[in-house]
Amino acid sequence: MLNVYTPDNEKYNNIDKSKFVLVQAEKEIHDAKFETKAVGFFKDAAMRFIRSKISVVALIGILFILFLAIFGPGMNEYGYNDQNLDYINLPPKIPVLAEYGIFDGGRVLQNRRVDGLDDTSRYPEGCILRVFNEREVKGVKMCDIEVDYYKYAGIPEDVVFWFGSDYLGRDLWTRMWRGARVSLFIAFISVFVNVFIGIVYGAVAGYYGGKTDMIMMRITEIINAMPQLVVVTLFILFFGTGILSIILALVVQNWIGTARMIRAQFYRFKGSEYVLASRTLGVKDRVLIFRHILPNSIGPIITRAMMAIPGAIFTESFLAYIGLGIRAPESSIGVLLSQGQKVMQQYPNQVLFPAIMISILMISFNMLSNGLRDAFDPTQRGA
Amino acid sequence: MKRLTALMLALVMMLSLLAGCSKDEETTTAAPTTAASGETTTAAGEVESDEPYGVFHNYLISDVDTINPHIYTMSDSGTIFGLISMGLYRYVPNETGDGFIFTTDLAESDPQQMDDEGKVWQIKILENAKWENGDAITIDDVIYSWQMCLDPILVNSRASQMASDYITIVNAKEYSLQGTENTVAWEDVGIKKVDDYTVELTVTDPVTALDVKSHLNYTWNRLVHKDTYEAYMNEDRSATTFGSTGDKFMSCGPFLLKEWIQGSQFTLVHNPDYVHADEYSLAGYEYRIVGDANTALELFLKGELDVVNVGADSIEQYIDDPRLQQSPASSIQCICVNMGNTENNGILGNVDFRKALYYAIDREAIAKMTNGIAANWTVPTKCIADLETGVTFRNMDESNAYIPANLGYDKELAKELYDKALAAVGLSELKLTLLYNEASANNKKIVEYLDKQLPEVFGDSFDLELMAATSNVCTEYRQGWRPDKKGDPNSYQLTIAGWNTSTTAPWNGLKVYSGTYTNKNEPYFNDEYDAIWNEANLGLEAKLDNAYRLDLTRQMEKITIDEAVTIPMYESPGNYLIADRIVLPSNGYIPGYGFGYALSSIVE
Amino acid sequence: MLKYVFERVLAMLVTLAIIVTMGFMVIRLMPGSMFEGNPDMSPEQLAALEAKYHLDKPLLVQYGYFLRDAFTKGDWGTSLKLYPNVPVWEILQTRIPISMYINVYSLLISLPIGVILGIVAAIKKNTWVDYTVSFLVVICISVPSFVFATLMQYFFAFKMEAFPIIYEPTAVGMAKLYSLALPIMALALSPIARVARYLRAELAETINSDFMLLAKTKGLTERQATINHGIRNSLLPLMNIIVPMFTNILGGSLVIETIFAIPGMGGMMVNSINAPDYEVTLAILIFYSIISLSTILLVDISYGIIDPRIRMGGKK
């Protein structure tokens, strides 16, 4: 027979109560103390982020572009709206590089009459670098020539445009960084608003489910059904062109994607055991949503937000392409790209530089978002 | 995993299905494609002088809406319909190629005046004209076409122009606008059949034979095929889909419509049965629809197009090219001023302010950046003063006597007038909004330039704000002041617009500033001006005396400039590269007519 | 499940009705008159035309006419401006096939490539393979398709003459595919990048999850575990981006269509809005709504099939 203590077991009733002593009455009861300082979620993430070199490089890249977007326009003597009709559509000329034959202000001019090449009023002395592709058209001798365009256009020696100039003789370097500033502003604001609305909306719909979800999702479908162009045109009709209309146009439908994604994430996690456990412990809905379930989605949210930034810049450039861009004479990446596309074969530099810049920016954002995502991923904690 | 496999399998099946279809199609249709290429090689092989030869490859920047002449709205539709249909009269280049003349098409001779005043006219038509299917063309076809254009139930958009333009046909307007009420019978309209090949027109006011010919040359007065038109009529006869596709059409013009692939291309072939077929030496005429300017240029350079419009951005590479041809601008681009605007103490209604704007614009700079012609006048350079000699209105000394010097650019005068205007209305500073259609690359350049230039002339107290919009938003604002629209006098302040007006009648083009014109851009009303316009356009004296008419035109133009009714800026001529193999009827642009591609011939 | 499907279909119809109503109203708020193409038309003529098409009536009355014709005659209206008098569905029928064609092909190209790139990048995470893929992907996303399209046209078609410069409308079969190869490629770049990008992120997360650990402890190799368990679980969220991609892609790309002279839906859409041609715009709106609503429905239902743990519509 097993000796088990029960209140009515006589065997134990006779023991003197004073014999019982609390073993740890004098000591504090606690777990073993942490040797190191506690690491918070964000600090932990930051540590992991720094460990990834490529993310740091990406961050530096973004900071570099941001730096140029802020200070670039002030780096030469031109203002973003300084016009000079004598300096229209010049090719890029960068003094140091020019000595090596790149960005030296050269350009090929096609279809020139051979007999007109000696005319110094049209071709100032020394401007023709190369004559090639001689041929005959309609009985006229024609050729292509390569010229030093700065000399050809009669531009003083000390005037240079690093990235060339546009159809009003404005400096493209200045306009590009000014444009980067505007575009990034539009993109950040709109993406921030989109993600914010998307998270709240998606979280509520996904968490509560049932009828709430049904109705909320149908509302998004209705909003999504209106063609973007119609929505934008109406905004412009009511608010005029400008940053406000463009941001509104970018916000009005684009949050829906985020909302759907967050909603799906909620469906995925709300049935998890830990959520169930928290709920049985009486944790409030609000806390469950934002504290317990949402952090699981931080990875996809960051990825999405980073992707949304080029998306916003493209939508802006599409609007510029169909003529509803930012208010002139302000510059933006979208305006430069869509203008550049139209003259891509004539003046490739006008689209090349903005495209390179946006690519660098996006590569950096991409790498950064990879780094951030890994850093924030709770499953990698401590790894 | 199974589901994944199933998914993949489905994908593969779909792929193979698609691939399968395309393969089948390829085998069944391989023959026609090779046949087509064979056709061109044989055609290129032997060249005979009399036989129609070669295909002219042209392009349009957007698809045409319809080739029903009664409802079309795009000028390209009219051009294509013109090539595949007949009218009573047509215009062709004159002998020397520096102008054009009206000549007969289906008509046998000039209209015959049947009364003393010039209100009743008879026209006899040719008896040997045929439709594409071989049916003979009689006067019934002509009358049917006109009747349908005016039909009160169809309510065609071109009915009002058929009823009244150069000539006003008796009761035509009343007939077409009666709706279902049946108050005016077709018999009451001034269009009567005399015999199988003769029609009689009765008009409300005395007109000349030239008026009749000009009126009947319009696209909407050309012929439609009765059976086809009827076949595609709906039950309640309120609409017909005639001309909405290539099948629902019957040709009778210099070319036959062979195929219309919507959104992509038109294929026209020579019509040997056309009454003036010998004047056309092309075996075919094709239009591709190419929206992108660079794409079109590439196609031209590869020889796939015979003509291409060279925009301001690409012209630099072709200025020396012997293939380059120029055509005059269709319109003058102007800054429209809403003089009825009550904001800013109504400064836009102040003549001094408008003149200040007129003198503040450096048109030479604008011409330079748009590759256009600086214009400080309101009658475009394309306008012809004398049809016979082809002299343009602008080339006459008298027409330039009152035009301000230096292309109307005078900074000091502009500043002086600006200060005066500001003082007159009691303002110390001024901010105006300039609305523009950003789809136009030139407009965009100009507004950005003005945004910078105007404050430089007027000083810091002036600020110009730019507002871009699509063309229909622009129209909405530009016409918003009109009582029949929104009736808001402040619908806009400044905007850019241009009127494409008649080349042959400069006096007519100035209607856009008259008080009676229904589609006005600016609320300008001046009885004196209206009286001159009426005299120049409707007065019989003016019709008979061209010099007098031109003088009236000059009076009108002077008023528009003196009162700065609008602020003209530039005209942008068209630059075209035309392929080597094309021999144009004249060596270049024929004033008022065009290059005459359809009349060209091809030499390899 | 059946009840859920039934509910969803019902809800879809209600949504569609609301979309049509709102669309009708919103489209008629657009500026511009239907009959402004002809400035020389007399005002009486304009009034008569507007009366013929009931455009002079209040909005609700117009809507009443629209519903009456749609339900009693199955007549969804005729175009008034782009192709006058032609029923709207006939217009769409001429435009949809070509847009579908290039878009389906570009999806067919981009899905497998995108998936493979994504998987490779995720498995070789943080190696040079990953970086190269990411680099390519980002270039595809960050340079607008119209720049790529123009470049491709210039180099492949104009300079090298490997492809036709524009779409050849009379070509069929392989010749048609050949003449559309460049626009298909230009359109495919962005989806490839998106799919690869998204899949890499998802798969990287899945590979770290507990069940993958379990799979590996069971003795599966890294490769087997990834293929059998990882990819399957990552494909599910991919639906989230494929579906909107599919509807986007159906919309056609205005810019690419313009550059390659393709008569597709992108140009149609913009033209109908700019014209304005109310009836055509509305028909396009309805068409897209039906497509997008049914794809959303399909995805939601298939969610439950692919991953039974997730039943959409479940309460908290």
Side-chain angles (χ1 to χ4, degrees):
Chain A
M1 164 118 195
L2 202 67
N3 271 334
V4 179
Y5 171 82
T6 49
D8 43 287
N9 190 333
E10 286 181 21
K11 191 179 167 191
Y12 299 108
N13 278 353
N14 303 333
I15 299 171
D16 183 3
K17 293 275 193 286
S18 62
K19 278 187 179 172
F20 287 105
V21 179
L22 290 165
V23 277
Q24 287 173 320
E26 304 299 311
K27 288 182 183 169
E28 267 182 61
I29 304 172
H30 59 72
D31 293 333
K33 211 168 188 169
F34 278 120
E35 298 289 314
T36 52
K37 250 178 94 185
V39 177
F41 177 69
F42 286 101
K43 187 159 187 202
D44 181 47
M47 278 164 61
R48 254 178 290 120
F49 177 77
I50 290 169
R51 222 175 293 152
S52 157
K53 286 199 184 64
I54 198 117
S55 312
V56 178
V57 172
L59 187 65
I60 293 172
I62 291 175
L63 290 177
F64 180 68
I65 287 183
L66 281 179
F67 172 82
L68 280 173
I70 296 166
F71 298 105
M75 285 182 179
N76 57 22
E77 67 273 30
Y78 306 110
Y80 80 101
N81 195 21
D82 285 356
Q83 304 174 357
N84 188 334
L85 295 180
D86 294 329
Y87 297 170
I88 291 178
N89 290 324
L90 294 176
K93 185 173 183 181
I94 304 174
V96 182
L97 294 177
E99 288 166 26
Y100 301 100
I102 38 172
F103 300 136
D104 56 355
R107 173 176 289 160
V108 172
L109 297 177
Q110 293 165 336
N111 303 303
R112 303 288 139 166
R113 278 168 189 268
V114 174
D115 52 12
L117 293 182
D118 304 330
D119 182 0
T120 47
S121 64
R122 270 189 72 187
Y123 304 101
E125 208 142 326
C127 79
I128 300 175
L129 304 174
R130 192 157 66 98
V131 178
F132 59 104
N133 197 11
E134 288 194 39
R135 61 194 183 276
E136 203 164 293
V137 181
K138 278 200 171 177
V140 183
K141 277 216 160 120
M142 304 291 288
C143 63
D144 293 350
I145 54 173
E146 193 181 329
V147 294
D148 178 339
Y149 201 82
Y150 281 71
K151 275 188 192 157
Y152 170 75
I155 289 162
E157 282 285 326
D158 56 330
V159 174
V160 288
F161 290 89
W162 297 338
F163 283 2
S165 65
D166 72 357
Y167 54 89
L168 286 171
R170 296 178 295 199
D171 177 41
L172 282 171
W173 164 275
T174 311
R175 282 186 71 72
M176 185 171 112
W177 295 117
R178 171 104 183 177
R181 196 191 287 176
V182 174
S183 288
L184 285 172
F185 175 77
I186 292 176
F188 277 123
I189 298 275
S190 66
V191 168
F192 179 78
V193 177
N194 278 339
V195 168
F196 181 77
I197 300 176
I199 287 177
V200 174
Y201 198 94
V204 170
Y207 181 76
Y208 290 102
K211 285 249 153 50
T212 320
D213 175 54
M214 189 78 150
I215 292 170
M216 288 177 88
M217 282 300 115
R218 300 299 82 74
I219 292 175
T220 62
E221 283 167 13
I222 293 169
I223 296 174
N224 220 6
M226 296 301 138
Q228 195 179 25
L229 199 57
V230 171
V231 176
V232 175
T233 313
L234 288 176
F235 274 133
I236 285 169
L237 193 65
F238 293 120
F239 303 109
T241 43
I243 293 189
L244 178 70
S245 285
I246 291 178
I247 292 180
L248 278 175
L250 285 171
V251 166
V252 75
Q253 289 176 319
N254 291 7
W255 59 270
I256 290 171
T258 318
R260 288 191 68 85
M261 191 266 294
I262 296 283
R263 170 176 167 272
Q265 290 280 341
F266 267 75
Y267 270 103
R268 201 162 153 188
F269 289 106
K270 75 180 179 186
S272 316
E273 292 77 2
Y274 79 93
V275 176
L276 210 62
S278 316
R279 190 177 289 142
T280 23
L281 288 174
V283 176
K284 284 193 185 108
D285 283 356
R286 188 158 39 89
V287 180
L288 255 178
I289 292 176
F290 293 108
R291 189 73 204 239
H292 295 283
I293 305 181
L294 193 61
N296 284 303
S297 314
I298 248 176
I301 290 175
I302 290 176
T303 318
R304 196 173 179 96
M306 294 292 158
M307 302 282 278
I309 289 172
I313 293 180
F314 287 170
T315 311
E316 192 240 307
S317 83
F318 173 73
L319 291 179
Y321 187 87
I322 57 170
L324 300 174
I326 204 143
R327 184 174 292 196
E330 191 55 85
S331 156
S332 77
I333 297 296
V335 167
L336 293 178
L337 281 177
S338 69
Q339 171 61 31
Q341 189 270 337
K342 287 177 191 139
V343 295
M344 202 154 143
Q345 282 155 30
Q346 292 81 30
Y347 315 115
N349 62 302
Q350 296 195 9
V351 76
L352 180 72
F353 291 110
I356 290 179
M357 192 265 275
I358 190 173
S359 299
I360 294 177
L361 191 67
M362 288 317 130
I363 289 169
S364 307
F365 265 121
N366 189 63
M367 297 301 175
L368 182 73
S369 74
N370 279 354
L372 281 179
R373 186 194 158 91
D374 291 350
F376 277 113
D377 189 347
T379 59
Q380 293 207 333
R381 218 165 176 179
Chain B
M1 193 58 206
K2 264 184 210 151
R3 280 187 203 105
L4 186 74
T5 333
L7 226 121
M8 290 294 226
L9 204 70
L11 203 76
V12 170
M13 271 168 65
M14 216 161 107
L15 253 165
S16 53
L17 207 70
L18 270 163
C21 308
S22 26
K23 255 189 208 130
D24 286 348
E25 278 172 37
E26 189 197 14
T27 45
T28 49
T29 46
T33 25
T34 44
S37 53
E39 199 173 84
T40 44
T41 47
T42 49
E46 41 192 298
V47 181
E48 279 177 44
S49 52
D50 289 347
E51 283 298 298
Y53 167 73
V55 177
F56 189 100
H57 300 276
N58 203 338
Y59 75 110
L60 306 169
I61 53 170
S62 64
D63 200 8
V64 307
D65 49 359
T66 173
I67 40 176
N68 177 346
H70 302 155
I71 52 174
Y72 79 94
T73 53
M74 305 165 84
S75 61
D76 288 335
S77 316
T79 310
I80 290 175
F81 183 77
L83 290 172
I84 51 181
S85 74
M86 285 175 100
L88 291 191
Y89 295 94
R90 59 187 179 136
Y91 60 130
V92 292
N94 62 14
E95 296 279 311
T96 49
D98 52 9
F100 65 88
I101 44 166
F102 279 105
T103 180
T104 59
D105 194 359
L106 182 60
E108 191 182 51
S109 57
D110 273 6
Q112 300 301 311
Q113 187 172 340
M114 304 307 286
D115 63 345
D116 300 334
E117 286 178 294
K119 284 185 174 179
V120 183
W121 296 83
Q122 276 193 6
I123 301 158
K124 187 159 167 30
I125 63 166
L126 295 172
E127 297 181 12
N128 57 347
K130 275 190 223 148
W131 290 101
E132 187 180 358
N133 63 359
D135 292 353
I137 296 176
T138 67
I139 206 69
D140 291 330
D141 289 304
V142 177
I143 293 176
Y144 175 80
S145 306
W146 293 348
Q147 186 181 356
M148 282 303 115
C149 185
L150 293 170
D151 193 88
I153 310 292
L154 284 174
V155 198
N156 293 312
S157 58
R158 295 290 177 180
S160 62
Q161 286 161 287
M162 157 97 224
S164 171
D165 199 287
Y166 281 101
I167 61 174
T168 303
I169 298 168
V170 166
N171 274 337
K173 182 177 150 196
E174 289 74 9
Y175 175 78
S176 74
L177 289 174
Q178 64 182 325
T180 48
E181 283 168 21
N182 236 337
T183 46
V184 186
W186 174 245
E187 286 67 39
D188 301 336
V189 180
I191 299 173
K192 292 273 168 342
K193 176 177 174 177
V194 178
D195 59 51
D196 271 359
Y197 294 97
T198 314
V199 66
E200 184 178 272
L201 290 175
T202 316
V203 296
T204 53
D205 298 294
V207 293
T208 62
L210 183 64
D211 285 333
V212 177
K213 285 196 282 185
S214 305
H215 189 82
L216 295 181
N217 169 55
Y218 278 137
T219 308
W220 43 90
N221 299 334
R222 291 172 153 249
L223 263 61
V224 295
H225 187 248
K226 182 172 179 178
D227 292 345
T228 321
Y229 202 88
E230 288 292 327
Y232 298 104
M233 191 79 88
N234 64 1
E235 279 168 26
D236 48 4
R237 294 187 65 82
S238 65
T240 172
T241 53
F242 169 83
S244 64
T245 65
D247 308 334
K248 301 178 177 177
F249 191 77
M250 185 71 73
S251 316
C252 64
F255 293 93
L256 302 173
L257 178 62
K258 199 172 139 207
E259 194 175 24
W260 173 12
I261 303 175
Q262 300 221 314
S264 283
Q265 77 177 43
F266 276 92
T267 313
L268 315 181
V269 294
H270 184 82
N271 179 6
D273 293 334
Y274 175 59
V275 284
H276 311 285
D278 53 330
E279 294 172 26
Y280 291 83
S281 58
L282 290 175
Y285 197 149
E286 251 179 45
Y287 281 100
R288 286 300 313 259
I289 291 149
V290 183
D292 186 79
N294 283 332
T295 308
L297 188 55
E298 284 175 5
L299 288 171
F300 174 82
L301 295 174
K302 283 275 169 254
E304 291 177 41
L305 289 179
D306 287 317
V307 56
V308 71
N309 182 1
V310 190
D313 291 319
S314 349
I315 190 74
E316 186 183 28
Q317 304 286 17
Y318 299 98
I319 35 177
D320 272 1
D321 200 310
R323 295 172 295 180
L324 193 70
Q325 295 272 6
Q326 205 174 54
S327 74
S330 58
S331 64
I332 302 176
Q333 291 293 311
C334 303
I335 302 179
C336 293
V337 185
N338 181 6
M339 46 276 275
N341 192 302
T342 57
E343 293 154 343
N344 301 310
N345 299 351
I347 193 163
L348 296 179
N350 186 308
V351 177
D352 286 331
F353 177 74
R354 295 203 303 267
K355 290 184 88 164
L357 264 183
Y358 180 91
Y359 286 110
I361 288 164
D362 184 353
R363 294 179 177 80
E364 219 154 334
I366 286 175
K368 185 177 173 191
M369 72 178 125
T370 56
N371 199 41
I373 302 168
N376 61 332
W377 44 75
T378 53
V379 175
T381 32
K382 69 169 183 178
C383 282
I384 298 173
D386 189 339
L387 276 187
E388 274 151 41
T389 58
V391 173
T392 64
F393 183 77
R394 282 266 78 84
N395 273 345
M396 301 175 88
D397 290 338
E398 303 94 307
S399 310
N400 291 316
Y402 50 89
I403 303 289
N406 193 25
L407 292 165
Y409 181 46
D410 187 339
K411 270 179 165 176
E412 284 74 32
L413 181 59
K415 172 74 176 149
E416 195 187 312
L417 287 165
Y418 170 78
D419 289 338
K420 196 172 147 198
L422 231 54
V425 298
L427 281 177
S428 60
E429 56 180 29
L430 179 60
K431 185 174 180 180
L432 292 175
T433 306
L434 174 59
L435 178 74
Y436 68 102
N437 174 5
E438 215 193 13
S440 152
N442 277 343
N443 274 358
K444 192 162 170 289
K445 291 177 188 174
I446 288 166
V447 295
E448 287 184 49
Y449 174 70
L450 291 177
D451 179 56
K452 185 94 177 150
Q453 191 217 356
L454 288 181
E456 277 168 15
V457 175
F458 292 152
D460 291 337
S461 65
F462 183 78
D463 189 15
L464 190 67
E465 199 172 307
L466 304 179
M467 157 107 175
T470 50
S471 74
N472 45 344
V473 176
C474 284
T475 315
E476 178 100 347
Y477 283 120
R478 194 173 65 233
Q479 304 185 336
W481 58 269
R482 276 163 33 189
D484 59 324
K485 301 271 172 170
K486 275 201 191 123
D488 169 16
N490 300 331
S491 62
Y492 79 97
Q493 293 178 331
L494 305 172
T495 186
I496 294 186
W499 286 111
N500 184 359
T501 55
S502 158
T503 304
T504 51
W507 44 87
N508 184 280
L510 288 165
K511 70 184 168 202
V512 299
Y513 308 113
S514 77
T516 48
Y517 186 60
T518 50
N519 251 306
K520 289 171 75 71
N521 280 339
E522 53 278 287
Y524 177 75
F525 298 95
N526 179 343
D527 292 338
E528 185 199 347
Y529 183 90
D530 292 356
I532 305 175
W533 189 85
N534 279 330
E535 175 64 18
N537 282 277
L538 309 172
L540 201 57
E541 191 185 340
K543 284 183 181 177
L544 297 173
D545 181 357
N546 201 38
Y548 175 58
R549 211 173 202 181
L550 290 173
D551 192 48
L552 290 171
T553 310
R554 284 182 204 109
Q555 288 179 31
M556 282 191 275
E557 188 178 35
K558 187 166 186 308
I559 292 176
T560 61
I561 291 171
D562 286 349
E563 303 204 2
V565 178
T566 187
I567 319 295
M569 291 188 295
Y570 76 103
E571 297 182 34
S572 99
N575 289 296
Y576 296 88
L577 287 172
I578 296 171
D580 266 351
R581 65 188 202 120
I582 303 297
V583 181
L584 294 173
S586 157
N587 251 335
Y589 183 84
I590 303 161
Y593 185 77
F595 289 107
Y597 301 133
L599 290 167
S600 66
S601 51
I602 291 179
V603 178
E604 301 291 342
Chain C
M1 193 70 193
L2 259 180
K3 183 170 171 259
Y4 172 64
V5 172
F6 176 73
E7 264 179 30
R8 282 300 309 272
V9 172
L10 203 70
M12 180 183 137
L13 292 178
V14 174
T15 315
L16 194 63
I18 298 176
I19 291 174
V20 172
T21 313
M22 273 184 61
F24 189 92
M25 306 293 167
V26 167
I27 288 168
R28 267 153 226 255
L29 280 179
M30 298 286 291
S33 151
M34 294 280 276
F35 298 106
E36 240 149 38
N38 176 5
D40 289 319
M41 198 191 300
S42 71
E44 297 98 335
Q45 185 69 41
L46 183 69
L49 265 170
E50 288 188 339
K52 179 179 173 187
Y53 295 103
H54 311 304
L55 294 174
D56 51 345
K57 305 269 187 335
L59 212 56
L60 278 175
V61 179
Q62 291 186 36
Y63 187 55
Y65 277 114
F66 170 74
L67 287 185
R68 188 197 66 189
D69 290 348
F71 285 108
T72 58
K73 301 186 226 160
D75 167 13
W76 292 87
T78 57
S79 161
L80 297 185
K81 217 164 177 183
L82 293 179
Y83 295 103
N85 292 343
V86 183
V88 286
W89 293 124
E90 272 178 36
I91 298 178
L92 293 198
Q93 274 167 25
T94 63
R95 298 297 178 131
I96 292 169
I98 183 74
S99 279
M100 286 274 268
Y101 187 92
I102 51 175
N103 290 317
V104 166
Y105 269 106
S106 80
L107 260 191
L108 286 182
I109 295 176
S110 55
L111 274 183
I113 299 182
V115 167
I116 290 168
L117 286 179
I119 292 172
V120 169
I123 295 176
K124 304 270 177 190
K125 197 173 157 190
N126 295 335
T127 63
W128 66 270
V129 179
D130 179 24
Y131 296 142
T132 318
V133 169
S134 299
F135 181 79
L136 289 177
V137 156
V138 174
I139 294 282
C140 291
I141 303 186
S142 50
V143 180
S145 60
F146 59 72
V147 173
F148 273 125
T150 315
L151 282 177
M152 281 176 163
Q153 189 186 42
Y154 185 71
F155 287 107
F156 297 146
F158 182 66
K159 284 283 176 197
M160 290 157 63
E161 302 191 10
F163 294 97
I165 295 174
I166 55 170
Y167 163 58
E168 184 51 61
T170 50
V172 283
M174 287 312 280
K176 183 173 178 182
L177 185 60
Y178 173 64
S179 84
L180 287 169
L182 289 180
I184 289 173
M185 282 192 265
L187 272 180
L189 290 175
S190 163
I192 288 178
R194 264 163 215 280
V195 170
R197 179 75 182 73
Y198 199 82
L199 194 62
R200 180 201 173 273
E202 280 296 330
L203 196 55
E205 196 182 300
T206 319
I207 288 174
N208 278 324
S209 63
D210 299 339
F211 70 87
M212 288 290 287
L213 194 66
L214 177 72
K216 276 179 265 179
T217 27
K218 272 196 325 195
L220 271 69
T221 61
E222 177 84 40
R223 186 194 170 88
Q224 284 171 320
T226 310
I227 292 173
N228 291 351
H229 301 274
I231 293 175
R232 179 181 165 188
N233 277 287
S234 316
L235 284 180
L236 171 65
L238 200 61
M239 298 287 266
N240 260 327
I241 62 161
I242 294 178
V243 170
M245 225 153 70
F246 186 72
T247 36
N248 279 348
I249 227 167
L250 262 183
S253 154
L254 167 73
V255 187
I256 287 182
E257 283 176 12
T258 312
I259 291 172
F260 292 102
I262 299 166
M265 288 298 283
M268 193 69 195
M269 178 93 175
V270 174
N271 287 346
S272 79
I273 291 170
N274 281 342
D277 197 327
Y278 302 143
E279 309 284 350
V280 177
T281 314
L282 189 64
I284 296 176
L285 178 88
I286 296 173
F287 173 72
Y288 281 134
S289 300
I290 292 174
I291 299 265
S292 100
L293 291 180
S294 14
T295 42
I296 290 174
L297 185 66
L298 269 179
V299 171
D300 282 359
I301 294 171
S302 60
Y303 250 110
I305 297 169
I306 299 181
D307 188 347
R309 283 177 308 166
I310 301 171
R311 289 269 181 238
M312 302 313 272
K315 298 216 170 80
K316 70 174 179 182

